[in-house]
Amino acid sequence: MQLLHSIQLEELSPCPYLPGRDKCYEYFLAEQLSAAEISAYLELGWRKFGIYYFRPACPGCRVCTPLRIPVGAFVPSRSQCRVLKKCAALDVRFGPLQFSARALAISRDHSRRRFGQEGDVEEFLLNFYLPSCPGLQTEIFRGAEMIGVGFLDRGENCLSSVYFCFDTACSGLNLGTFSILKEIEQAQRLGLSYYYLGYCVADCPALAYKNRFRPHQYFDWAKQIWFDVDS
């Protein structure tokens, strides 16, 4: 690992998940992490975009809960099986990170329609195509057209979802759920132990959906250990 900026605390700013609260991340900048090193950081609750590594350090609050799936034990629920059936004709491909104009267009559409934000090209490249550790790209096609693209970190024993976006004209396909299910399958094929879903916040619908993938494990910030949730 090549450390570019040692661990520091950000200034307090409004929480993007829970109104009326402030958030603060501890962060560092680094590149050239090995698969073993990114696994070790994920194990301790860290997340990343590009070379920016972060985890919550909010005063008096630890509701952002790291969540991961033990892929060997995972069984899709009935509703998740229905999503798999609905999307059975789609083609899912995994490969190296590879920028395309279509991937950027999907990201911009997703940001505009879902979050009311205009996607920035430079930010898109820095977050997803400035690799600081081993990575993979998920691409979902309907026929010849890409309709979803995701970004994964590849650890020694895991895959970690960094981000996924889709063409909002295809919202009825439940591509967010479908992509998670296919990425869990990919982790299984690679013989890995875990699939990291990022932070789950129970009172934030944008993040609470992660709790529906079971069995899973969550990270206890106070005890610094992972606990099993079977059902």
Side-chain angles (χ1 to χ4, degrees):
M1 179 177 79
Q2 182 175 349
L3 188 65
L4 305 175
H5 191 302
S6 58
I7 295 176
Q8 291 195 14
L9 285 178
E10 291 182 342
E11 294 184 1
L12 287 174
S13 60
C15 177
Y17 306 128
L18 298 175
R21 300 198 191 189
D22 290 325
K23 66 99 172 167
C24 175
Y25 291 145
E26 58 177 335
Y27 74 97
F28 65 92
L29 306 180
E31 59 184 9
Q32 299 178 23
L33 272 77
S34 67
E37 287 171 327
I38 186 62
S39 285
Y41 278 105
L42 290 166
E43 183 83 20
L44 294 175
W46 291 87
R47 303 292 296 165
K48 64 172 281 290
F49 286 107
I51 63 172
Y52 173 76
Y53 289 75
F54 64 96
R55 64 179 178 181
C58 309
C61 180
R62 284 295 184 272
V63 298
C64 290
T65 304
L67 190 149
R68 70 184 183 186
I69 308 295
V71 299
F74 177 73
V75 178
S77 67
R78 282 184 290 181
S79 63
Q80 290 162 359
C81 285
R82 288 195 291 270
V83 172
L84 289 171
K85 183 177 181 179
K86 179 165 55 176
C87 297
L90 302 181
D91 181 22
V92 183
R93 307 173 190 176
F94 295 95
L97 298 174
Q98 185 172 357
F99 173 80
S100 69
R102 179 56 180 160
L104 176 61
I106 290 172
S107 174
R108 282 179 148 176
D109 170 71
H110 192 266
S111 294
R112 186 181 305 115
R113 301 288 184 180
R114 303 274 291 189
F115 307 115
Q117 301 173 351
E118 290 298 323
D120 180 80
V121 179
E122 183 176 350
E123 184 178 7
F124 181 70
L125 293 171
L126 289 175
N127 283 342
F128 308 123
Y129 292 100
L130 185 62
S132 58
C133 70
L136 291 172
Q137 186 162 310
T138 308
E139 296 179 347
I140 300 177
F141 286 81
R142 182 170 59 184
E145 182 183 33
M146 186 196 299
I147 59 173
V149 59
F151 307 94
L152 297 163
D153 292 330
R154 167 67 194 268
E156 185 177 48
N157 65 345
C158 64
L159 291 180
S160 175
S161 175
V162 177
Y163 188 68
F164 177 80
C165 53
F166 57 86
D167 185 334
T168 56
C170 303
S171 295
L173 292 174
N174 300 108
L175 291 178
T177 296
F178 180 65
S179 68
I180 292 171
L181 295 170
K182 301 307 287 187
E183 288 170 356
I184 291 172
E185 288 181 9
Q186 179 68 1
Q188 292 169 336
R189 281 192 291 270
L190 293 172
L192 303 176
S193 299
Y194 302 110
Y195 173 78
Y196 284 84
L197 264 170
Y199 299 136
C200 181
V201 179
D203 294 328
C204 175
L207 297 179
Y209 73 92
K210 300 174 184 181
N211 191 49
R212 297 198 295 265
F213 294 85
R214 301 195 175 202
H216 64 241
Q217 297 176 343
Y218 72 90
F219 186 66
D220 186 299
W221 291 111
K223 297 181 179 179
Q224 296 284 290
I225 56 177
W226 291 85
F227 286 94
D228 292 315
V229 177
D230 294 325
S231 60

